[in-house]
Amino acid sequence: MSDHLHVAEPGKQFRLEHHAPEATPGLSEDEGEALLPELRLRLDELQELLYADRRSAVLVVLQGMDAAGKDGTIRSVFREVGPLGCMVANFGVPTPEEAAHDFLWRYHLQAPARGRIAIFNRSYYESVLVERVHGLVPKSVWKGRYGAINRFEALLAAEGTVVVKFFLHVSKEEQRQRLQERVDNPKKRWKFREGDLDERKLWDDYGAAYEDMVNECSTETAPWHVVPADHKWYRDVVVARALIRRLEALDLRYPEAAPGIVGTIVI
Amino acid sequence: MSDHLHVAEPGKQFRLEHHAPEATPGLSEDEGEALLPELRLRLDELQELLYADRRSAVLVVLQGMDAAGKDGTIRSVFREVGPLGCMVANFGVPTPEEAAHDFLWRYHLQAPARGRIAIFNRSYYESVLVERVHGLVPKSVWKGRYGAINRFEALLAAEGTVVVKFFLHVSKEEQRQRLQERVDNPKKRWKFREGDLDERKLWDDYGAAYEDMVNECSTETAPWHVVPADHKWYRDVVVARALIRRLEALDLRYPEAAPGIVGTIVI
């Protein structure tokens, strides 16, 4: 993780407890805040290039506990990109139609077309997180899903979609403060669900599930970034940098003009 | 149009030639540019309130000639709202599946859920614009579509969706300059299609079609705003103000907390 992108190295044993949610290695808050504007602008440039180039797509997967900052990350990192440049897909409790299909079906429907960025605000990984923790499916089923997910992501990658996955890792104390803020602030209270407290009681079970998710599904083509997320500014720097790195590696180009276009005078 | 929202009054004869694309009544460029940041922030507040309130949806319809500034409007007006707060739907040439359905089907699929904003970057109005101008359907068919569209919008409105429609009205000279810029600028050339010039030759036919569209479909529930769009800053002010006006009329509220939530101490 020496490049500060916090990649969970594929094949190497990942232990959540070795990763501090409050870490901000190599950066002060002032430095981080100063970096963000240019990172956002660069991401916007790359998005336009991605769209013009039309050979690749980008799927951003965001996972994390309640109040880990998924919404805030989208707001901040994609501030310059805007709604024209990317689509956010939210996934709630499956509808009967969705539940009648395989667990990847509804996610595949929302996969980005070439030229586009889709952000999955929670994703198919919930099938090995909430469904596992609450025992909604037997162990034999969720165990098999890691492989299915890896094969799904390999398919996307082989067909031109860059899959970039961020696990926003917050501490239990930071979550407590953020949930309390939702209770105390009338403008934020609507975000608070009593169920959040029940989920919080299962903190350790979720920790184990996230740990397995990273161990099983951090692959060469689609590695997990385990993002220290107690400090919002650091979280945003890591996510933006990781996306920029992956986009720059694509060698995106503005297409050549069709023959005859250059020099055309519009009358 | 005394409130500068450029509403085409329902039932009143609309003539395109009476509306100057370069008009900026009552505002200087400096004043307009100074207004925009606060308008964008207000729109962001209202979007969050819309989402929390969860009783209404907003459908923004954007129409205009090539290079009229549809993309630029989205970028500018929804800059603070961001991708988390609204979804842009683009509609290309219909797929065989889409073409096998009624002309409103694919648009209905993308209609916003309550709490959401959807921006239609071109819309079902293309069925009485490009399809009419190119004779893709007989006159008897496109003539009948105005009524179908009005009934569709009435359905959406009755079920809680605010439909806000903007026709971005640019002059032929302004379009010429913008298309020429696309030819001349290597970073914009990918946006230029040779077909743009063929469409430009049909300028007057499109004018007649836009005029009929406004006359037939500017209704009390879903009036057309005919936005002078030669000046981008003025266009953005009009669109932002009109959206804010409609959202403020909804009397949106943050929901009351569920009983027992207030004062909960998160442990």
Side-chain angles (χ1 to χ4, degrees):
Chain A
M1 301 206 177
S2 55
D3 58 359
H4 294 169
L5 295 179
H6 300 279
V7 171
E9 209 176 307
K12 198 174 152 195
Q13 183 67 21
F14 170 79
R15 295 293 304 278
L16 202 48
E17 65 187 5
H18 296 160
H19 299 269
E22 74 280 7
T24 64
L27 270 190
S28 71
E29 180 165 359
D30 285 350
E31 288 167 340
E33 293 287 3
L35 277 173
L36 276 171
E38 60 191 86
L39 293 172
R40 292 184 186 116
L41 286 171
R42 178 64 182 143
L43 196 57
D44 182 43
E45 281 175 1
L46 287 164
Q47 179 274 321
E48 182 172 299
L49 203 45
L50 178 85
Y51 186 74
D53 181 88
R54 214 63 69 92
R55 289 178 299 165
S56 313
V58 175
L59 173 60
V60 180
V61 172
L62 280 182
Q63 287 290 158
M65 298 290 281
D66 294 322
K70 297 180 287 297
D71 287 8
T73 301
I74 297 172
R75 262 187 183 271
S76 170
V77 172
F78 294 91
R79 192 189 155 84
E80 296 293 336
V81 172
L84 201 65
C86 61
M87 193 206 70
V88 180
N90 296 288
F91 300 94
V93 176
T95 64
E97 175 74 6
E98 289 171 345
H101 289 80
D102 69 85
F103 80 102
L104 289 170
W105 182 77
R106 64 175 182 156
Y107 301 98
H108 207 160
L109 284 181
Q110 306 270 3
R114 278 182 273 271
R116 308 295 177 86
I117 299 176
I119 304 167
F120 281 8
N121 193 6
R122 299 189 189 268
S123 69
Y124 39 87
Y125 281 99
E126 290 297 331
S127 306
V128 291
L129 294 167
V130 66
E131 292 194 42
R132 162 180 166 169
V133 168
H134 286 277
L136 302 181
V137 291
K139 184 169 182 176
S140 59
V141 169
W142 60 255
K143 276 257 175 195
R145 286 177 171 172
Y146 298 115
I149 288 173
N150 287 341
R151 290 186 291 275
F152 176 59
E153 291 178 346
L155 164 73
L156 295 180
E159 295 281 323
T161 297
V162 177
V163 183
V164 197
K165 305 183 298 197
F166 300 100
F167 164 38
L168 306 184
H169 178 35
V170 285
S171 64
K172 198 172 178 186
E173 169 57 19
E174 179 67 20
Q175 190 203 45
R176 188 191 66 72
Q177 289 179 28
R178 294 184 188 178
L179 291 179
Q180 187 67 54
E181 164 69 8
R182 290 185 182 176
V183 171
D184 295 342
N185 184 339
K187 287 197 173 183
K188 292 190 177 176
R189 205 169 290 148
W190 61 275
K191 292 185 186 175
F192 184 81
R193 298 167 298 115
E194 283 190 88
D196 291 350
L197 297 185
D198 297 328
E199 293 297 277
R200 184 169 160 81
K201 288 180 192 140
L202 298 167
W203 185 269
D204 292 341
D205 293 342
Y206 273 105
Y210 278 111
E211 201 167 84
D212 284 353
M213 169 191 89
V214 172
N215 274 313
E216 298 285 345
C217 300
S218 200
T219 59
E220 292 293 342
T221 39
W224 272 104
H225 298 262
V226 180
V227 183
D230 274 8
H231 297 283
K232 295 171 182 176
W233 62 268
Y234 187 74
R235 169 199 78 194
D236 296 342
V237 168
V238 172
V239 170
R241 276 182 169 168
L243 284 167
I244 289 167
R245 182 77 62 93
R246 293 292 294 278
L247 281 161
E248 286 181 341
L250 289 177
D251 187 30
L252 300 168
R253 291 188 300 270
Y254 286 103
E256 300 293 320
I261 293 289
V262 181
T264 295
I265 305 296
V266 177
I267 54 169
Chain B
M1 301 203 176
S2 56
D3 58 358
H4 295 166
L5 295 179
H6 300 278
V7 172
E9 211 177 302
K12 199 175 151 193
Q13 184 65 19
F14 170 79
R15 293 293 303 279
L16 202 48
E17 65 187 3
H18 296 159
H19 298 269
E22 73 280 9
T24 64
L27 269 190
S28 71
E29 179 165 0
D30 284 352
E31 288 166 341
E33 294 286 4
L35 278 172
L36 276 171
E38 61 191 85
L39 292 173
R40 292 184 186 116
L41 286 170
R42 178 65 181 144
L43 196 58
D44 183 43
E45 281 175 0
L46 287 163
Q47 179 275 321
E48 183 173 298
L49 204 44
L50 178 86
Y51 186 74
D53 181 87
R54 215 61 71 93
R55 290 178 299 165
S56 314
V58 175
L59 173 60
V60 180
V61 171
L62 280 181
Q63 287 291 157
M65 299 288 282
D66 294 323
K70 297 180 288 296
D71 288 8
T73 301
I74 298 171
R75 260 186 185 272
S76 170
V77 172
F78 293 91
R79 191 188 155 88
E80 295 294 337
V81 173
L84 200 65
C86 61
M87 192 206 72
V88 179
N90 296 287
F91 300 95
V93 176
T95 64
E97 174 74 5
E98 289 170 345
H101 289 79
D102 69 86
F103 79 102
L104 289 170
W105 182 77
R106 65 175 181 156
Y107 301 99
H108 208 160
L109 284 181
Q110 306 271 3
R114 278 183 272 272
R116 307 293 177 88
I117 300 175
I119 304 167
F120 281 8
N121 193 6
R122 298 188 190 268
S123 69
Y124 39 89
Y125 282 99
E126 291 295 332
S127 306
V128 292
L129 294 167
V130 66
E131 292 193 43
R132 162 181 167 169
V133 169
H134 286 277
L136 302 180
V137 292
K139 185 169 181 176
S140 60
V141 169
W142 60 255
K143 276 258 175 194
R145 285 177 172 172
Y146 298 115
I149 287 173
N150 288 341
R151 290 187 290 276
F152 176 59
E153 291 179 348
L155 164 74
L156 295 180
E159 295 280 323
T161 297
V162 177
V163 183
V164 198
K165 305 184 299 198
F166 301 100
F167 165 37
L168 306 184
H169 179 34
V170 285
S171 64
K172 198 171 178 186
E173 169 56 21
E174 179 67 21
Q175 191 202 45
R176 189 193 64 72
Q177 290 180 29
R178 293 184 189 178
L179 291 180
Q180 188 66 56
E181 164 69 8
R182 289 185 183 177
V183 171
D184 296 342
N185 183 338
K187 286 198 174 183
K188 293 190 175 177
R189 205 169 288 149
W190 62 274
K191 292 185 184 176
F192 184 81
R193 297 167 300 116
E194 283 189 88
D196 291 350
L197 297 185
D198 298 327
E199 293 295 278
R200 183 170 161 80
K201 288 180 192 139
L202 299 167
W203 186 269
D204 293 341
D205 293 342
Y206 272 106
Y210 278 112
E211 202 166 82
D212 284 352
M213 168 190 90
V214 172
N215 273 312
E216 299 285 346
C217 300
S218 201
T219 59
E220 292 293 342
T221 39
W224 272 105
H225 297 262
V226 180
V227 183
D230 274 9
H231 296 284
K232 296 173 182 173
W233 61 268
Y234 187 73
R235 170 198 78 195
D236 296 342
V237 168
V238 172
V239 171
R241 276 182 169 169
L243 284 167
I244 289 168
R245 183 76 62 92
R246 294 291 294 278
L247 281 161
E248 286 180 342
L250 290 176
D251 187 31
L252 300 168
R253 292 187 299 271
Y254 286 104
E256 301 291 320
I261 293 289
V262 182
T264 295
I265 303 299
V266 177
I267 51 169

